[in-house]
Amino acid sequence: DAGITQSPRHKVTETGTPVTLRCHQTENHRYMYWYRQDPGHGLRLIHYSYGVKDTDKGEVSDGYSVSRSKTEDFLLTLESATSSQTSVYFCASRGTDYSYEQYFGPGTRLTVT
Amino acid sequence: GENVEQHPSTLSVQEGDSAVIKCTYSDSASNYFPWYKQELGKRPQLIIDIRSNVGEKKDQRIAVTLNKTAKHFSLHITETQPEDSAVYFCAASPNGQNFVFGPGTRLSVLP
């Protein structure tokens, strides 16, 4: 599974609280991605990174921010969680400019009450 | 932006039969089309992909075809087995940067 992990794996939080999810990969991959998965919507891209400190928005970026200070770590932050952000979050990584295959982490189930 | 549609949303086949899942995309800049399989409670895993300079690609019982003119691509699974039961997602991407996924197809292979 390309050495990609996520933490925490499960989290329950209250509306209005900040939440940070962590994605860690040991493959020295350049590209990293955050997705959310909801029934009927497949995987929707939140943000992605194409290098340290280089990030860009995906199709559902509102309410989320990201940071990448090291190659191996990509953090997703919900500044003030809302119930609509209850979802399963997957991160992914891929290695080079020529290989487009993404490797996914195990997912984080986030519930906002 | 890119929009990917996927049909059918559910598909049931008898073991040994073939299964076909179809996706359409809207952005002619997309040039990479992967297919992922996701088992219940697991992470998505790539099963096959195709780039826009190729019309068809096969890997054992799995094949993908691409029609760039019509902007659609399809996943073909032959001789289906119970372990093929899962949710399948297609996606489209321009140069592997951002990815847009279809909503998924739940495939059930009946013994």
Side-chain angles (χ1 to χ4, degrees):
Chain A
D1 293 320
I4 184 165
T5 58
Q6 294 182 229
S7 60
R9 295 292 313 281
H10 301 271
K11 186 170 183 66
V12 180
T13 192
E14 293 184 349
T15 298
T17 59
V19 176
T20 295
L21 308 183
R22 179 181 184 236
C23 180
H24 179 79
Q25 51 99 358
T26 58
E27 302 296 318
N28 200 34
H29 283 175
R30 176 183 175 188
Y31 298 88
M32 297 185 75
Y33 304 80
W34 275 109
Y35 294 91
R36 61 177 289 172
Q37 184 172 39
D38 306 288
H41 290 279
L43 292 145
R44 290 183 291 175
L45 183 64
I46 304 170
H47 284 279
Y48 64 100
S49 170
Y50 45 96
V52 173
K53 298 192 190 305
D54 291 324
T55 64
D56 207 348
K57 296 179 180 180
E59 64 178 306
V60 290
S61 59
D62 287 349
Y64 302 94
S65 62
V66 290
S67 66
R68 191 161 178 211
S69 58
K70 297 185 289 185
T71 298
E72 57 265 36
D73 289 326
F74 192 32
L75 304 180
L76 177 71
T77 297
L78 292 65
E79 301 289 348
S80 177
T82 67
S83 58
S84 65
Q85 293 176 312
T86 292
S87 187
V88 178
Y89 291 85
F90 285 98
C91 73
S93 69
R94 72 173 179 92
T96 70
D97 290 341
Y98 307 107
S99 172
Y100 296 172
E101 179 177 356
Q102 294 183 91
Y103 298 90
F104 282 84
T108 294
R109 183 174 296 277
L110 176 67
T111 302
V112 183
T113 61
Chain B
E2 177 65 275
N3 180 54
V4 176
E5 298 184 353
Q6 184 172 346
H7 298 281
S9 57
T10 60
L11 179 60
S12 293
V13 299
Q14 291 295 131
E15 183 176 356
D17 287 350
S18 295
V20 180
I21 303 170
K22 298 181 179 179
C23 288
T24 61
Y25 63 99
S26 60
D27 189 350
S28 57
S30 290
N31 58 4
Y32 174 66
F33 307 93
W35 285 90
Y36 287 84
K37 176 184 180 182
Q38 186 178 29
E39 297 175 352
L40 189 62
K42 301 289 183 64
R43 70 189 78 190
Q45 293 198 303
L46 182 75
I47 55 171
I48 198 167
D49 56 9
I50 193 168
R51 298 203 185 197
S52 60
N53 58 346
V54 175
E56 182 174 2
K57 184 177 179 181
K58 292 183 75 171
D59 183 2
Q60 300 182 334
R61 295 186 298 109
I62 294 173
V64 56
T65 58
L66 171 65
N67 183 327
K68 282 192 298 183
T69 303
K71 295 195 182 71
H72 66 72
F73 56 111
S74 299
L75 176 70
H76 305 255
I77 306 174
T78 59
E79 300 173 17
T80 54
Q81 301 166 4
E83 52 264 39
D84 293 329
S85 295
V87 179
Y88 292 81
F89 294 98
C90 62
S93 173
N95 298 318
Q97 292 281 27
N98 55 325
F99 288 76
V100 177
F101 282 74
T105 296
R106 182 175 300 278
L107 174 64
S108 299
V109 179
L110 308 174

